[in-house]
Amino acid sequence: MRIEFLTKNYTPSDKLKDVVTKKVERLDKFFEDDTKVKILLKKANDVETLELTIILDSVVMRAEVSSGNMYENIDIALPKLEKQIIKHRTKLNAKSKKFRIKDVEAAFAPQAEKEETHGVVRSKSYELTPMTVEDAIEELELVGHSFYVFSNKATKKVNVLYKRNDGDYGLIEALQ
């Protein structure tokens, strides 16, 4: 397992890096040796935030925890990430699919400082995987975001699945 540290307004001590590395390496049992884990350590307004990110094929597993102590954050974030990994593996085993591991690519970069003028401050690209709407709902829940872009297996078109305020889901289909 390869661990990559990223920081924003935070300078981690060598002791903290060693502790985080040791604890994250416990996840090694789930992955191949060349799997990358991105760890973002940041501080804003006396709140320290730890983000752990792993990308497997088209699945992003991410845990984010904020508190006043980075050592507490790692103890809270790891069980969250472990739970996602186990949930994902169980889901794949239930569908009789092979659990494939892929190198983590640049999943995120530290966000640019906010400017007065608004514009695109962050850009992501990824390969759309054909999937059903039900699979997209599961991925949306795993990622923990408010929307998910995917290629609909039935229509072969790009769709956006989003979570509505009432807890249900909405689907936007692109016309091409």
Side-chain angles (χ1 to χ4, degrees):
M1 181 171 286
R2 296 180 316 206
I3 298 172
E4 182 179 338
F5 285 92
L6 301 170
T7 61
K8 181 178 179 184
N9 299 329
Y10 187 82
T11 306
S13 66
D14 290 337
K15 180 182 175 188
L16 176 64
K17 283 186 175 181
D18 290 342
V19 169
V20 171
T21 301
K22 182 180 174 187
K23 291 188 178 196
V24 168
E25 284 178 344
R26 291 188 317 179
L27 300 176
D28 201 24
K29 62 186 173 190
F30 295 111
F31 306 109
E32 294 177 358
D33 292 337
D34 62 342
T35 300
K36 256 192 196 175
V37 178
K38 298 254 184 180
I39 301 170
L40 176 64
L41 307 169
K42 62 183 178 180
K43 185 173 183 175
N45 300 331
D46 294 329
V47 176
E48 296 177 353
T49 302
L50 170 87
E51 292 179 18
L52 298 172
T53 305
I54 300 172
I55 296 178
L56 306 170
D57 287 339
S58 63
V59 178
V60 176
M61 295 184 201
R62 184 175 162 275
E64 179 178 347
V65 180
S66 297
S67 74
N69 185 336
M70 202 60 80
Y71 291 97
E72 291 174 8
N73 289 349
I74 188 66
D75 290 333
I76 297 169
L78 276 176
K80 285 183 177 184
L81 200 54
E82 256 182 29
K83 186 176 177 183
Q84 288 181 27
I85 293 166
I86 292 168
K87 182 178 177 182
H88 181 69
R89 286 186 74 145
T90 304
K91 179 185 87 167
L92 289 179
N93 288 337
K95 292 183 177 185
S96 301
K97 289 186 179 178
K98 182 179 175 187
F99 187 65
R100 295 169 298 193
I101 308 298
K102 181 177 166 184
D103 285 346
V104 174
E105 297 180 12
F108 57 89
Q111 291 182 343
E113 295 295 322
K114 298 200 182 226
E115 300 177 17
E116 292 294 322
T117 59
H118 295 288
V120 176
V121 295
R122 188 172 177 186
S123 178
K124 288 186 179 184
S125 62
Y126 62 96
E127 188 175 327
L128 292 179
T129 305
M131 62 178 63
T132 64
V133 174
E134 291 77 20
D135 289 339
I137 290 172
E138 290 177 10
E139 297 297 326
L140 175 68
E141 291 174 358
L142 273 174
V143 175
H145 292 170
S146 58
F147 69 93
Y148 188 76
V149 179
F150 68 102
S151 174
N152 193 321
K153 199 179 237 183
T155 64
K156 307 282 191 253
K157 293 184 179 181
V158 175
N159 289 185
V160 176
L161 180 74
Y162 63 94
K163 195 162 198 162
R164 296 171 42 96
N165 291 336
D166 61 5
D168 289 332
Y169 298 97
L171 184 67
I172 300 172
E173 295 182 13
L175 299 176
Q176 296 173 334

